[in-house]
Amino acid sequence: MLEGLRQAAGRDGAAAVRLGDDALAPEELLRAASAVAGGIAGAPAVAVHATPTMDTVIVVVAGLLANVPVVPVPPDAGPMERDHILRDSAPALMLAAKGALEDPGALGVPVVPVDDVAGAETSFPGPEPGSTALVLYTSGTTGRPKGVRISHGAITANLGALAEAWSWTEEDTLVHGLPLFHVHGLILGVLGAFHTGSALVHTGRPSPRAYAAAQGTVYFGVPTVWSRVRDDPESARALRGARLLVSGSAPLRPALFDDVRALTGHALLNRYGMTETLVTLSGRAGEDQTPGWVGTALPGVETRLVAEDGALLPHNGSALGELEVRGPSLFSEYTNAPEATAASMTADGWFRTGDLAIVGPGGAHRIMGRASTDFIKTGGFKVSAAEVEDALLAHPAVREAAVVGAPDDDLGEQIHAYVVADAVAADELVNFVATELSVHKRPRQVNFVPELPKNRLGKVVKGELGRR
């Protein structure tokens, strides 16, 4: 997966890798990472304080070179989350910039400055495809985060498929400001550039002005980023010279899709994936994008829809079932959780995503939400929370919406909506949904809130609704 970076290191005038104010030429980055690799070789795993800095990138590349699994630790993780990650993954040490951690002794793991572990440049044989490259912890929207072990082979296969789907080459300049401890920012947003040999500009924070100033050809963002771009029309119009704008990690609403296209001239390319699967579905560069849909299966990936009784459902654009996937980019296992690993897979090797989906006759997929929180059974009907959320968002006063099922003795579950809105009554929103959709899909209760609880990637944490 570093082949593109190595090739760039051999080219005169190859663009530097930039993170904030720091920049290294490809050969300088490889040299620094090789020295760190010599210092960590043989370790069972190393953690990295995953700030959006060059130090983090050097450590990740060093781990890839030395065939040592790297565990990115979110820099804003609280003590409980950080302790869980470090205990669960058991790294030999944690690498961080000097002075980055106020009380490194409280972590229970030796904390070593990145500069201090570096030694002489060292070369290593290439890793086995099945060996673990990264241990990424899930977003934690449902329970304690799990450590997902991702192999070198899975990452390489996925990046190759994305390069094909997005026509991503060494001629591109990738721009983003996403965190470096999840798939989107780290695997796609850093290793993707190193795989293809494209230039990389990480803006530190994904602000509209920073995106506009970077003058890239490919931009990555979560819907929250694209919402902020939309709200800064001048910066949005500066992206008209780009080739591709990609959205992922959270649902992309049709209204935001339309607004961004009107300002930038680009239809946001949507894609779908999970930590356990990497990216499995995506639109294609140069093809029409349909708001609300996340494209077709990437090369090598298979998908199927399964009903509650285990029956396979047709791909007819209306049948709703749980999405299962298989292919070369699946994770190896959850760390220290063999029962959870086994439960996530079917006997014939398909991963249970836990997401509800519809698949059209041409293979396009629409993700309708999580089976555990977004599939509401009310009065004998099955209702997609995502469909009700889209209807609420179509009202001009509504800025954000989340819908959940609440226990009800009569209906089984009631549809409850949590809404960020301006000067609108609950009854008006209930009647609006009943007009836009079937009457049984209307919310029985509308709760107005100042904001929706979200994780770092902009996904609504529905388990926290009603607690604030």
Side-chain angles (χ1 to χ4, degrees):
M1 75 191 75
L2 299 178
E3 189 56 35
L5 183 66
R6 292 189 178 97
Q7 291 177 2
R11 292 198 306 267
D12 291 336
V17 176
R18 297 185 179 277
L19 283 93
D21 295 329
D22 292 335
L24 288 177
E27 64 271 19
E28 293 174 323
L29 173 58
L30 283 170
R31 190 179 305 126
S34 177
V36 172
I40 64 174
V46 297
V48 60
H49 187 236
T51 54
T53 62
M54 194 68 74
D55 279 329
T56 299
V57 173
I58 288 172
V59 172
V60 170
V61 175
L64 298 178
L65 293 173
N67 199 19
V68 173
V70 176
V71 185
V73 179
D76 61 347
M80 184 179 295
E81 179 184 4
R82 189 169 54 200
D83 182 66
H84 166 65
I85 292 173
L86 294 175
R87 286 180 180 274
D88 192 53
S89 60
L93 69 162
M94 182 168 176
L95 298 172
K98 285 184 178 179
L101 296 170
E102 292 182 2
D103 185 14
L107 298 180
V109 136
V111 177
V112 180
V114 177
D115 291 343
D116 289 357
V117 79
E121 290 181 52
T122 309
S123 60
F124 299 90
E128 291 295 322
S131 61
T132 299
L134 296 168
V135 183
L136 299 184
Y137 278 76
T138 56
S139 302
T141 56
T142 55
R144 177 173 285 190
K146 296 189 287 290
V148 180
R149 302 183 74 85
I150 306 172
S151 71
H152 288 258
I155 295 173
T156 299
N158 199 228
L159 295 179
L162 287 174
E164 179 182 337
W166 297 347
S167 302
W168 188 1
T169 74
E170 65 185 39
E171 301 299 322
D172 282 307
T173 295
L174 171 63
V175 178
H176 74 94
L178 301 172
L180 300 188
F181 45 86
H182 284 310
V183 168
H184 199 168
L186 180 58
I187 295 182
L188 276 60
V190 173
L191 300 184
F194 296 166
H195 177 83
T196 60
S198 67
L200 170 63
V201 177
H202 191 287
T203 59
R205 291 182 177 274
S207 71
R209 291 188 179 184
Y211 272 34
Q215 298 183 329
T217 61
V218 178
Y219 287 80
F220 289 171
V222 298
T224 300
V225 171
W226 297 121
S227 176
R228 292 171 182 170
V229 168
R230 175 203 53 198
D231 294 341
D232 186 342
E234 183 179 354
S235 295
R237 284 190 284 269
L239 303 185
R240 285 184 170 270
R243 184 178 68 79
L244 195 65
L245 309 183
V246 180
S247 183
S249 298
L252 175 66
R253 300 304 186 193
L256 179 57
F257 176 96
D258 292 338
D259 291 345
V260 171
R261 179 166 54 182
L263 287 165
T264 66
H266 296 287
L268 287 168
L269 186 151
N270 207 359
R271 90 308 182 274
Y272 165 85
M274 301 177 68
T275 308
E276 292 92 337
T277 67
L278 305 184
V279 176
T280 51
L281 308 171
S282 179
R284 302 302 197 266
E287 296 182 359
D288 292 339
Q289 310 301 321
T290 304
W293 295 73
V294 294
T296 57
L298 289 175
V301 174
E302 298 174 86
T303 68
R304 69 184 185 187
L305 293 179
V306 181
E308 288 183 274
D309 62 3
L312 295 183
L313 296 172
H315 294 181
N316 59 8
S318 60
L320 178 69
E322 182 180 357
L323 178 67
E324 294 182 350
V325 302
R326 68 179 178 186
S329 62
L330 293 189
F331 77 126
S332 304
E333 63 180 353
Y334 293 118
T335 301
N336 302 319
E339 292 183 358
T341 302
S344 72
M345 303 295 296
T346 67
D348 53 347
W350 294 77
F351 176 75
R352 299 182 171 106
T353 68
D355 283 330
L356 300 170
I358 293 169
V359 184
H365 293 63
R366 185 177 184 186
I367 306 300
M368 305 303 291
R370 297 293 292 169
S372 57
T373 57
D374 294 328
F375 194 37
I376 303 168
K377 299 177 182 179
T378 179
F381 295 101
K382 298 176 182 179
V383 178
S384 164
E387 185 180 24
V388 182
E389 289 162 0
D390 283 344
L392 286 164
L393 288 166
H395 192 285
V398 176
R399 288 182 278 125
E400 293 185 278
V403 169
V404 297
D408 182 80
D409 290 339
D410 179 38
L411 297 172
E413 286 184 296
Q414 277 191 1
I415 299 173
H416 284 199
Y418 291 81
V419 174
V420 181
D422 300 313
V424 63
D427 287 348
E428 180 179 341
L429 293 180
V430 170
N431 292 332
F432 181 79
V433 173
T435 302
E436 293 292 312
L437 304 175
S438 301
V439 173
H440 69 266
K441 296 180 180 180
R442 70 193 186 282
R444 298 292 179 133
Q445 181 174 313
V446 175
N447 306 280
F448 292 99
V449 294
E451 62 180 5
L452 298 177
K454 297 174 182 174
N455 66 15
R456 299 180 186 93
L457 292 179
K459 294 180 183 177
V460 175
V461 184
K462 291 193 173 182
E464 295 185 12
L465 290 170
R467 297 182 185 175
R468 297 188 169 192

